[in-house]
Amino acid sequence: MTRTPVLRRVKHSTARVFLVLLLFALAACDRQTETTHETDRLTFQAFGTLVDITLYPAGKHDLARIEAELSADLENMHASWHAWEPGSLGRTNQLLAMGGEFSAPPSVLPLIEYGQELEALTDGLFNPALGRLIAAWGFHQSEAAGPPPDPDAVRALINDPPRMADIERSGARLRGRHPELQLDFGGLAKGFAVARSLDLLAELGVEHAIVNAGGDLMTRGQPGARAWRIGVRHPRGAGVLAGIELGSGEALFTSGDYERGYEWDGQRIHHVIDPRTGWPSQGLAAATVLHADPALADAAATTLMIAGPEDWPGLARRLGVDHALVVLPDGSVELTPGMAARVKFQDDVPHRIRHAQTGNGPGDE
Ligand code: ADP
Ligand code: MG
């Protein structure tokens, strides 16, 4: 994928790579990074999740200042981009619902612009204009809850669905051309937030760090002569699925069916919605993407979940993602050749390489 103007704006002083990983217990994280005695740690709540910053070397940083600046910045972004609480995106959604042309708050423009590119690139599998559908499934409240929407209501929402392309844009002036269009950047915003946090750390003089926001993370620099050692959480249970070493400027983001959701009639209703069916995506338990661009890694992980077990390699390829790993419902793993060269699995994890060109064909290993 070519670099977009949007992503250029989310600048980093180091080359960027994203990885998708899942949550760690902090103790496990200490063990995985194996740098506890040499690093400082900061953990605090922000952006609706537990943020965990690792700083190398220990004893060199003004921790109170770093925590204050980062948490303030993250809370600002959270308020600006929140899908259902009042803020810049909430205001934008109100204005979109009214029809007519308006000036959008500047903080939402990069997400709109990138959302439009991603929708086009994924043939609408990634579609942040489906806020009404996400809300209908009970995800626009702090505790996601049923009942699920009526099947007729779902069909009505995806029959002629709003698209990002329905937003006409001229500079900061916007006009929505679909009455049902409501923006939800839940699949993308954390990537932007992590990118911005890394920038801020650089501005504060931090050269070596990991920013981990609820299991989605990005590195800057490295701990001495070594790589950062990270564990990818198993989507079923507390254990680690695989280990991976990250260099500088790599982001690892995961999307999973266990992250946000509820049980209804014995079924797991989770928050990644397939725009083709209007229902929670099926066939994959989790998808993890490693890339230099955190916003792309975030959106790509969500998109691979939606693409499902047949199509995920093709979508990864279209998105310019060389390093991806998906977990099937039976706990087995499929991964790209690039990712296979990077991860070390726990002994008992069945896995196979998938090639984008060949799909399920004989080229697979
Ligand atoms: P997490 O926020 O837990 O890391 P994801 O990155 O997978 O999870 O994003 C899930 C979020 O993406 C949902 O809560 C919703 O806001 C948004 N979303 C769900 N389905 C889609 C879709 N088809 N296209 C774009 N965004 C989506
Ligand atoms: Mg995502």
Side-chain angles (χ1 to χ4, degrees), residues 191-203:
F192 274 79
V194 167
R196 167 68 199 146
S197 298
L198 266 292
D199 284 349
L200 185 55
L201 283 177
E203 285 160 22

Side-chain angles (χ1 to χ4, degrees), residues 126 186-188 216 253-255 295 297-303:
F126 190 85
L188 183 62
D216 294 322
F253 274 65
T254 298
S255 178
D298 192 359
T302 308
T303 305

Side-chain angles (χ1 to χ4, degrees), residues 284-348:
L284 293 180
T288 294
V289 172
L290 168 74
H291 199 275
D293 191 314
L296 177 62
D298 192 359
T302 308
T303 305
L304 297 192
M305 278 287 288
I306 298 166
E310 291 306 314
D311 297 338
W312 75 263
L315 257 296
R317 190 184 168 90
R318 285 180 73 162
L319 287 164
V321 167
D322 292 331
H323 301 90
L325 170 165
V326 302
V327 184
L328 284 88
D330 68 3
S332 65
V333 169
E334 295 184 352
L335 69 175
T336 60
M339 193 63 127
R342 297 287 302 268
V343 291
K344 283 198 181 65
F345 285 103
Q346 300 293 344
D347 288 346
D348 53 348

